[in-house]
Amino acid sequence: RAAVGRSAGVTEHERILQEIESTDTACVGPTLRSVYDDQPNAHKRFMEKLDARIRNHDREIEKMCNFHHQGFVDAITELLKVRADAEKLMGQVTDTNRRLQEAGKEVTAQMEEVIRCRVQQRNMVTTVEKLQLCIPVLEMYSKLKEQLDSKRYYAALKTMEQLQNIYIPRVSQYRFCQIMAENLPKLREEIKEISMSDLKDFLESIRKHSDKIGQTAMKQAQQHRTFNSAVQKQASVGLAKPLYSLDSRIGIRQNELAAEERGDEDDADDEVLTAPDLVDFSPVYRCLHIYSVLGDRETFENYYRKQRKKQARLVLQPQSSMHETVEGYRKYFNQIVGFFVVEDHILHATQGLVTRAFTDELWNMALSKIIAVLRTHSSYCNDPDLVLELKNLIVIFADTLQVYGFPVNRLFDLLFEIRDQYNETLLKKWALVFRDIFEQDNYSPIPVESEEEYKSVISRFPFHDAEIEKQPFPKKLPMSQSVPQIYTQVKEFIYASLKFSESLHRSSTEIDDMLRKSTNLLLTRTLSSCLQNLIKKPHIGLTELVQIIINTTHLEQACRYLEDFITNITNVSPETIHTTRLYGLSTFKDARHAAEGEIYTKLNQKIDEFIQLADYEWSMSESDGRASGYLMDLINFLRSTFQVFTHLPGKVAQTACMSACKHLSTSLMQMLLDNELKQISMGAIQQFNLDVIQCELFASSEPVPGFQGDTLQLAFIDLRQLLDLFMVWDWSTYLADYGQPNSKYLRVNPSTALALLEKMKDTSKKNNIFSQFRKNDRDKQKLIETVVKQLRSLVNGMSQHP
């Protein structure tokens, strides 16, 4: 069994040796591993087997070498023979090569020259080809430099774009192209800076030229408005004939209109300038194009709008003294109009640089500022001519901007505010005019010596009186010279007020309403105030007051002519429903009432002055038998005064006369009852009675016509009954009839009688003035005491039962 095993092992080792011999060396690993995986000590047997195989191979190699050795020796011998021939051949080849080299030196030199020429030619062709690629780049770059030098920046940017996108990529491998490519962004930034600098110069330029631009635009708008106004006026003159003959100012105004029309024709021949004629807008277009090409248009738009907003704020800032002259307003408006004319041009000449929304925003901001500025500065104006010029400027300003599409309704609303202020300045001015007229008036009827003078007055004031017209010359008109002057000045005021209402784009009805309202203000406030102040002045006497009443009467009657005057100007019928009526009539009525009251007051003051001259001797034993001198002077004064009152309305004269008599009666009564007067004699009573009789005679003489019966004498009835009571000494009748409606002494108050009787009682004690009564009746003193007690009881009864 062991033998079988060894035999099997030997067979296995041979198989492994065959695999090792036939297998690639890299794959012999698994075969060798099988040797070690076999039975123990198998590798030793394998090594033995391997050694035996190696010996077999060595023997076979040795056999093969022995078999071929003779052939090898023969080959070596043959090779040695050939070496001598090879050396001989080598010498021959070397000599041949030497001779060939010597013979080919010239050819080689020629060939090298040909090769060098071929290389140069190839290099030249290559160079020409490369130059043909580079020359356009250089030419374009040269063109770029020329464009930059000539400030054609937009074309330069286009050239840069071609260089960068077309030419430089073709030869980008060259260093000079790389330098060009690196320089292009710098050139772009330089162009941006230059164009922005030009834009800044442009903005500064239009800041300076805004005044001229605005002046030109407003002048054109004014010419257009004047032309349209002239056409409308000619049409209205041709269609409507004036209903009321105005004064010579109509002719003057027509001449002015004709002059304006001629001026328009002359101006029409002038060249019409526009904003591009005055300002070069190319920097804006150029800068816009440059930034658009550079893809940075939004930055440019934002910068432009921001700068223009800043300039708008500067333009809208007025000078502090702007309100002092019309030139200040004109310059302010010119700058604003110039600013927005430029913006309107930019809006239409560019696409999107400014938008309508942007200009509307600027205009709304500007409009609010303008209105605030005008409202403030116009409030400082006290000269109506300056306010009127301001109004004309605002109208032209609004018309100009309206042409460019800016809404201006708020400006016309502002004009209504300024119109109220204009009216206030007019009222102040006319207050001075009225004051001067009143101060220069002589308050005497106007004398007219001839028909020419009469017509001259009638042409200035609508006066018609058939009786005066029948009178021969010379004659006098009832009013004083201030009346036609006042009437003329009222018409001048209407003209002045109309000047502001023109060109406000309002209807004739609205203008008519405004004229009537302003005229009403003139009459009810200004003229009324002047009349009231005039009436209160100390130097205005009774004669002047009478003339003022007459004057106001005629002015009141002339109001209807003023209404016709306004109707003729506006051509609006006074029957129109909404037409404001002139209610200035109340002005003259109030002035008359004030003058009448002043007449009553001055009359009473004069009476008081005369009464202060009274110098009664209250203790005189008997009267002088004639009235006191002061009273006769007073009555003469009243007679002459009431003669002046013949031109007054009847009721005024009657009221003045009645008031004077009542005041005289009251003053005389107060003289008797004066607390400082302690004693009165019967002689003084008799003298006082003579004076009262003169007063009664004056009242009965009808100093002013129109009184019925003894109405005027009743002013002295209290004095008369009191004096009769004391003169007749009829106390029994007085006491018996007291309280009866048919009492003879009904107007005698017990307290008045008691006060006077007390003064006579004291006199009787000291002067024994009642001695004559004692002879007739020695109980008279006792009677006085009794009457005093009874009067006191009556007075006490009146106090207990008021």
Side-chain angles (χ1 to χ4, degrees):
R1 189 179 299 143
V4 174
R6 284 195 297 270
S7 176
V10 172
T11 305
E12 180 65 23
H13 289 163
E14 289 180 354
R15 185 187 63 78
I16 291 172
L17 288 174
Q18 290 177 356
E19 288 182 0
I20 291 173
E21 290 176 352
S22 61
T23 304
D24 189 4
T25 306
C27 300
V28 78
T31 304
L32 293 176
R33 190 177 298 112
S34 65
V35 175
Y36 292 91
D37 292 340
D38 208 350
Q39 299 175 2
N41 299 323
H43 65 283
K44 292 181 179 180
R45 292 190 295 272
F46 176 75
M47 291 301 293
E48 294 173 355
K49 190 64 175 176
L50 180 62
D51 290 338
R53 177 63 64 88
I54 289 172
R55 287 193 296 271
N56 289 333
H57 281 298
D58 286 342
R59 284 193 297 272
E60 288 178 359
I61 290 171
E62 185 177 357
K63 287 178 182 181
M64 186 174 291
C65 287
N66 289 331
F67 178 77
H68 291 288
H69 180 263
Q70 186 59 41
F72 177 73
V73 171
D74 293 339
I76 292 300
T77 302
E78 185 69 26
L79 183 60
L80 288 174
K81 290 179 182 180
V82 172
R83 186 173 70 176
D85 294 336
E87 289 177 354
K88 183 179 178 181
L89 180 60
M90 184 64 183
Q92 292 177 353
V93 170
T94 302
D95 182 60
T96 302
N97 180 58
R98 179 183 58 76
R99 287 186 286 107
L100 182 62
Q101 290 298 327
E102 290 177 356
K105 280 183 180 180
E106 186 176 353
V107 176
T108 301
Q110 292 295 327
M111 289 301 296
E112 289 177 355
E113 182 66 22
V114 170
I115 291 171
R116 188 176 65 79
C117 289
R118 291 288 178 86
V119 170
Q120 287 181 348
Q121 185 179 12
R122 186 176 67 251
N123 290 341
M124 289 175 66
V125 171
T126 303
T127 302
V128 169
E129 291 176 354
K130 298 302 181 183
L131 283 175
Q132 287 177 346
L133 290 175
C134 293
I135 285 175
V137 178
L138 296 172
E139 289 177 348
M140 290 296 288
Y141 196 78
S142 176
K143 180 180 178 182
L144 172 62
K145 286 296 185 180
E146 292 178 359
Q147 290 170 342
L148 291 175
D149 293 339
S150 60
K151 298 183 178 181
R152 292 161 35 194
Y153 300 117
Y154 180 71
L157 288 174
K158 289 296 184 182
T159 303
M160 286 185 196
E161 185 177 354
Q162 291 179 355
L163 274 172
Q164 190 171 19
N165 297 332
I166 300 174
Y167 292 95
I168 291 180
R170 297 175 182 174
V171 288
S172 60
Q173 68 273 21
Y174 299 109
R175 188 167 177 269
F176 79 90
C177 288
Q178 296 175 0
I179 295 173
M180 285 184 185
E182 293 173 358
N183 200 29
L184 289 181
K186 297 178 181 178
L187 291 176
R188 283 195 178 92
E189 290 300 322
E190 183 180 346
I191 290 174
K192 286 178 68 174
E193 292 176 1
I194 293 173
S195 62
M196 186 59 72
S197 176
D198 291 345
L199 177 66
K200 291 178 181 178
D201 294 340
F202 166 78
L203 293 174
E204 183 64 25
S205 174
I206 59 173
R207 177 77 175 90
K208 296 177 181 178
H209 288 83
S210 290
D211 190 7
K212 181 63 176 178
I213 296 172
Q215 180 183 359
T216 303
M218 290 183 66
K219 181 180 178 182
Q220 293 170 0
Q222 185 177 12
Q223 291 173 353
H224 181 71
R225 183 173 65 85
T226 306
F227 175 76
N228 290 340
S229 176
V231 171
Q232 292 175 358
K233 287 181 179 179
Q234 286 181 347
S236 63
V237 168
L239 294 176
K241 184 179 180 180
L243 301 176
Y244 182 78
S245 177
L246 304 181
D247 58 16
S248 59
R249 286 186 56 124
I250 292 296
I252 296 174
R253 293 172 64 84
Q254 290 176 348
N255 292 334
E256 291 175 351
L257 176 59
E260 288 177 355
E261 292 173 1
R262 290 194 298 272
D264 292 341
E265 293 173 359
D266 295 339
D267 292 339
D269 295 334
D270 297 338
E271 182 182 0
V272 178
L273 299 177
T274 60
D277 297 327
L278 300 172
V279 177
D280 180 17
F281 286 90
S282 59
V284 181
Y285 308 146
R286 186 163 55 244
C287 199
L288 176 61
H289 291 160
I290 288 171
Y291 274 79
S292 298
V293 170
L294 296 176
D296 204 10
R297 179 187 176 109
E298 185 177 356
T299 300
F300 172 74
E301 290 178 355
N302 292 335
Y303 176 81
Y304 178 84
R305 295 178 186 180
K306 182 179 179 181
Q307 293 302 316
R308 289 299 278 167
K309 280 186 178 180
K310 289 182 179 179
Q311 287 190 338
R313 294 188 179 95
L314 291 175
V315 166
L316 294 171
Q317 190 66 31
Q319 295 182 352
S320 58
S321 60
M322 184 178 73
H323 61 277
E324 295 177 358
T325 60
V326 70
E327 289 303 320
Y329 288 109
R330 181 176 285 111
K331 185 175 181 181
Y332 181 67
F333 288 138
N334 286 343
Q335 290 179 346
I336 296 173
V337 170
F339 178 89
F340 283 100
V341 167
V342 168
E343 285 307 290
D344 181 76
H345 179 78
I346 293 293
L347 173 66
H348 292 89
T350 62
Q351 295 180 352
L353 176 56
V354 294
T355 61
R356 175 56 69 181
F358 173 75
T359 55
D360 289 345
E361 178 187 356
L362 272 182
W363 172 243
N364 290 331
M365 181 269 291
L367 192 57
S368 299
K369 180 67 176 177
I370 292 167
I371 290 174
V373 167
L374 293 178
R375 185 176 285 129
T376 300
H377 282 264
S378 64
S379 64
Y380 299 143
C381 293
N382 294 320
D383 182 5
D385 294 333
L386 180 57
V387 179
L388 184 61
E389 290 181 348
L390 172 59
K391 166 258 175 180
N392 292 331
L393 282 178
I394 293 176
V395 171
I396 297 171
F397 174 72
D399 289 347
T400 304
L401 289 171
Q402 194 171 30
V403 170
Y404 287 92
F406 296 101
V408 294
N409 291 334
R410 291 176 62 189
L411 285 174
F412 284 100
D413 294 338
L414 172 67
L415 282 174
F416 279 92
E417 297 180 25
I418 297 178
R419 182 185 179 279
D420 294 337
Q421 182 184 345
Y422 174 73
N423 282 336
E424 289 297 324
T425 59
L426 285 182
L427 293 176
K428 291 178 182 178
K429 178 180 178 180
W430 257 259
L432 298 176
V433 172
F434 290 152
R435 189 183 308 164
D436 292 340
I437 291 174
F438 288 139
E439 288 179 356
Q440 296 172 8
D441 193 8
N442 57 10
Y443 297 98
S444 301
I446 300 176
V448 286
E449 301 293 335
S450 62
E451 184 70 24
E452 289 74 15
E453 292 184 12
Y454 181 76
K455 289 181 178 179
S456 175
V457 176
I458 297 304
S459 65
R460 291 181 288 123
F461 181 75
F463 174 78
H464 303 286
D465 190 311
E467 294 184 1
I468 294 179
E469 289 177 358
K470 293 177 182 178
Q471 295 176 4
F473 292 100
K475 54 188 175 183
K476 291 183 178 181
L477 303 182
M479 64 278 187
S480 66
Q481 63 184 7
S482 64
V483 172
Q485 293 174 350
I486 292 292
Y487 183 79
T488 301
Q489 286 302 321
V490 172
K491 292 203 297 183
E492 290 294 328
F493 175 87
I494 294 172
Y495 276 125
S497 181
L498 176 65
K499 285 182 179 179
F500 198 97
S501 301
E502 292 175 341
S503 305
L504 290 185
H505 306 298
R506 298 292 173 175
S507 65
S508 299
T509 304
E510 290 175 299
I511 294 176
D512 182 88
D513 188 63
M514 287 187 282
L515 284 181
R516 292 177 188 272
K517 286 181 178 178
S518 59
T519 306
N520 280 329
L521 277 178
L522 177 72
L523 297 177
T524 59
R525 198 170 79 183
T526 304
L527 182 56
S528 176
S529 175
C530 291
L531 285 171
Q532 296 293 337
N533 293 333
L534 173 68
I535 291 167
K536 297 296 181 182
K537 287 187 175 181
H539 71 276
I540 299 298
L542 290 170
T543 303
E544 288 79 6
L545 289 171
V546 170
Q547 189 62 54
I548 288 172
I549 292 176
I550 295 171
N551 289 349
T552 54
T553 302
H554 288 285
L555 285 172
E556 180 181 352
Q557 294 171 354
C559 275
R560 62 188 180 89
Y561 294 99
L562 288 177
E563 289 201 353
D564 294 340
F565 178 75
I566 295 174
T567 299
N568 180 73
I569 291 176
T570 60
N571 204 21
V572 175
S573 173
E575 284 74 22
T576 305
I577 298 176
H578 301 291
T579 299
T580 303
R581 307 294 297 182
L582 286 184
Y583 50 82
L585 301 175
S586 61
T587 294
F588 305 112
K589 290 179 180 178
D590 295 341
R592 269 201 307 278
H593 293 159
E596 292 168 6
E598 195 66 20
I599 286 177
Y600 307 150
T601 301
K602 287 188 180 296
L603 267 177
N604 293 343
Q605 290 175 352
K606 280 291 185 181
I607 292 172
D608 292 340
E609 291 175 5
F610 280 103
I611 288 179
Q612 288 175 0
L613 300 175
D615 187 19
Y616 286 102
E617 185 181 349
W618 296 107
S619 60
M620 62 192 310
S621 59
E622 58 182 14
S623 67
D624 294 340
R626 54 188 176 86
S628 301
Y630 85 91
L631 188 67
M632 296 306 297
D633 292 340
L634 171 58
I635 290 175
N636 290 333
F637 164 75
L638 291 176
R639 288 186 186 280
S640 62
T641 299
F642 291 138
Q643 286 178 357
V644 178
F645 286 8
T646 54
H647 297 294
L648 285 176
K651 291 184 179 179
V652 177
Q654 293 170 13
T655 304
C657 186
M658 177 60 74
S659 173
C661 290
K662 286 184 177 180
H663 184 72
L664 177 58
S665 175
T666 303
S667 299
L668 292 174
M669 181 69 76
Q670 290 175 350
M671 190 185 301
L672 280 178
L673 302 177
D674 189 0
N675 292 329
E676 295 181 0
L677 179 60
K678 303 299 182 182
Q679 300 175 0
I680 300 178
S681 65
M682 182 56 73
I685 292 291
Q686 292 171 350
Q687 181 63 39
F688 199 81
N689 182 59
L690 292 176
D691 293 342
V692 173
I693 290 174
Q694 290 299 323
C695 293
E696 291 173 332
L697 290 174
F698 168 75
S700 62
S701 66
E702 197 175 8
V704 173
F707 285 108
Q708 296 181 355
D710 56 353
T711 302
L712 197 56
Q713 291 99 305
L714 292 177
F716 301 97
I717 190 64
D718 292 357
L719 271 176
R720 171 48 50 208
Q721 290 186 6
L722 179 64
L723 291 175
D724 285 350
L725 176 62
F726 278 84
M727 294 287 293
V728 180
W729 206 253
D730 196 6
W731 294 105
S732 57
T733 303
Y734 176 76
L735 295 173
D737 295 343
Y738 179 76
Q740 300 297 323
N742 56 353
S743 172
K744 181 180 179 180
Y745 305 102
L746 181 63
R747 307 297 294 268
V748 178
N749 191 291
S751 59
T752 303
L754 177 62
L756 186 57
L757 189 58
E758 289 282 356
K759 295 178 181 182
M760 296 186 68
K761 172 184 174 183
D762 294 338
T763 305
S764 65
K765 289 182 179 179
K766 293 183 178 180
N767 299 330
N768 197 22
I769 195 164
F770 291 103
S771 59
Q772 57 180 333
F773 294 111
R774 293 193 190 97
K775 295 177 182 178
N776 300 326
D777 188 0
R778 298 185 181 277
D779 295 332
K780 180 64 71 174
Q781 186 63 36
K782 186 177 179 180
L783 177 60
I784 292 176
E785 295 291 342
T786 303
V787 171
V788 167
K789 290 179 181 179
Q790 291 179 348
L791 288 175
R792 284 176 179 170
S793 64
L794 290 176
V795 171
N796 292 334
M798 291 176 61
S799 62
Q800 292 176 3
H801 304 284

